[in-house]
Amino acid sequence: QYDLELHPLTCLYEDDDFPLFGIDGAEIQGLNFDGSAYSDAASLAKAKQEAEIEYLRTQETATFTSSAWGAGTVELERIKRGSRGLKGSYSMSYMGKTVENLPLDMTTAKLTNILASEFGIIGVQTYYWDQRCHNLAIPMYFENANIAGDTRDP
């Protein structure tokens, strides 16, 4: 028995989950692929490969067989999926103006751009305080910021 452990990046969306591995030349037990609708070998091979990819992407276990192995099988099991990134949106308001549908995966550059383009606040300094799947904190420093239209006294 061999154990292989992968640690994929966290904060992935479900579409980006790491699939189970396939084994070249082996058949997947339980795939239930019906190839009777395909008349040529190339189309059949492509459709079967797509079905295998989808199966390995969505299943938690896969058992492989091969005539070269006799009665032997290989079983792959997903122990744990990666952490999920936050989904959704939020709004930001300042002086009666609101910007809707801001992404939860905000970056410092996007935030600085929104402050400048939507609220006219130029020169805000931002940085990542915390950037994990369940927590994104971007402090904003306004010490050197200017609001468009402001004038400073000489």
Side-chain angles (χ1 to χ4, degrees):
Q1 174 179 341
Y2 294 95
D3 291 330
L4 174 66
E5 189 171 322
L6 297 176
H7 295 277
L9 293 174
T10 59
C11 297
L12 298 175
Y13 298 118
E14 195 168 339
D15 292 344
D16 298 323
D17 270 351
F18 202 83
L20 294 172
F21 286 109
I23 299 176
D24 190 28
E27 297 292 322
I28 302 173
Q29 286 183 347
L31 179 60
N32 298 326
F33 176 73
D34 179 15
S36 63
Y38 300 93
S39 58
D40 68 287
S43 296
L44 174 63
K46 184 174 191 233
K48 185 175 181 192
Q49 182 181 32
E50 289 172 357
E52 289 172 345
I53 290 169
E54 181 63 16
Y55 185 91
L56 295 172
R57 187 182 71 76
T58 59
Q59 299 301 307
E60 299 303 310
T61 62
T63 302
F64 295 87
T65 62
S66 173
S67 59
W69 307 339
T73 63
V74 173
E75 185 172 312
L76 297 176
E77 178 183 9
R78 182 190 319 272
I79 304 298
K80 179 181 174 187
R81 290 189 181 262
S83 302
R84 295 282 176 243
L86 294 174
K87 289 185 177 181
S89 62
Y90 65 98
S91 62
M92 183 183 295
S93 299
Y94 175 71
M95 300 289 289
K97 182 174 183 176
T98 299
V99 179
E100 301 283 345
N101 298 319
L102 297 173
L104 285 177
D105 60 347
M106 180 64 70
T107 65
T108 56
K110 285 181 191 175
L111 180 58
T112 302
N113 187 41
I114 288 167
L115 291 171
S117 64
E118 299 293 334
F119 301 119
I121 304 173
I122 311 296
V124 175
Q125 294 177 334
T126 60
Y127 70 94
Y128 292 109
W129 178 265
D130 194 358
Q131 187 179 16
R132 292 177 283 168
C133 292
H134 60 278
N135 190 23
L136 174 64
I138 303 176
M140 298 179 282
Y141 291 96
F142 293 90
E143 288 86 15
N144 298 319
N146 292 305
I147 297 176
D150 277 359
T151 56
R152 295 183 184 254
D153 291 340

